[in-house]
Amino acid sequence: MKNELDNLADSIAKRLIAEGFTVQRCNAYTTNSIYLKLDYGVCNSIRISDHQGKRYLKYRYNIGSFVKEYREEKDKYDRYYYQIDKSENMIKRIIKDRDLKRSRYGESGYKAFVAKNKRDKSGTAGFWKEAVLLN
C-alpha cells in the first residue's frame, strides 16, 4: 500500500506543479499518510492515506483507500473525500478553489497572501517543519 500511496502523491504533486501550484510534501512519522501543502497553505492541504485520520485534524482534501465514496463534510472548514481512483476530480476541485481565491483577492493579492504565508510559516516548529518543497 505504501508504494501505491507514494505513486499517488507523486502523480498529484506533478499535476498540481504543472498547474502552477507550489507544493510541499511531508510524510507522517508513524503511518503511511502523506500530506501535500499547496501554495504554502493558501490553497489548503491534501491528506493521502490508507486509513481514517484523527477526528480533530481537518484537512481540506482527503484521498485514499479508506474513502468508499465521494463525500463532503460541512463544518467551520469544508472537507472533501475522494476515492483513490478519483484524483483527477480532486485536482479539478483544487484548481477551481484556487481560481475562486484569485478572483476574490486579485492576482497580486493572492501572490501577496502566498508570500506572507511562506514568510510567516517558514522555520516554525511542528509537523510541517520537515516538509520538502517539491517545485
Side-chain angles (χ1 to χ4, degrees):
M1 179 51 79
K2 185 165 176 43
N3 285 341
E4 185 179 2
L5 295 176
D6 277 332
N7 291 340
L8 180 61
D10 290 345
S11 171
I12 291 169
K14 284 178 186 168
R15 278 278 290 116
L16 291 171
I17 289 167
E19 292 291 338
F21 286 89
T22 299
V23 180
Q24 295 168 277
R25 177 179 171 152
C26 195
N27 293 353
Y29 304 119
T30 58
T31 69
N32 292 332
S33 297
I34 301 164
Y35 303 88
L36 302 176
K37 186 184 279 190
L38 309 175
D39 286 351
Y40 295 97
V42 173
C43 280
N44 307 100
S45 299
I46 303 168
R47 179 176 178 271
I48 303 163
S49 190
D50 58 1
H51 65 280
Q52 284 286 6
K54 295 177 180 164
R55 201 70 194 143
Y56 68 91
L57 296 175
K58 299 183 179 193
Y59 291 92
R60 174 67 49 97
Y61 309 102
N62 300 270
I63 189 167
S65 57
F66 71 97
V67 180
K68 301 307 175 203
E69 62 182 17
Y70 173 80
R71 72 181 190 273
E72 297 179 15
E73 289 186 7
K74 301 293 183 181
D75 198 348
K76 181 177 180 183
Y77 302 104
D78 294 343
R79 292 180 308 285
Y80 307 99
Y81 294 82
Y82 294 86
Q83 299 101 312
I84 205 162
D85 62 338
K86 301 293 184 186
S87 63
E88 192 58 35
N89 293 357
M90 182 183 70
I91 289 167
K92 288 177 184 175
R93 176 63 182 246
I94 292 167
I95 293 167
K96 178 183 167 197
D97 289 350
R98 179 188 59 184
D99 290 347
L100 288 170
K101 288 178 182 177
R102 282 179 165 168
S103 67
R104 183 180 315 142
Y105 300 119
E107 188 61 32
S108 62
Y110 181 84
K111 287 180 179 177
F113 193 8
V114 171
K116 180 182 183 324
N117 267 20
K118 179 181 179 183
R119 185 177 58 250
D120 292 352
K121 308 279 185 194
S122 67
T124 59
F127 178 73
W128 285 103
K129 183 178 173 98
E130 303 299 320
V132 175
L133 184 62
L134 300 180
N135 299 54

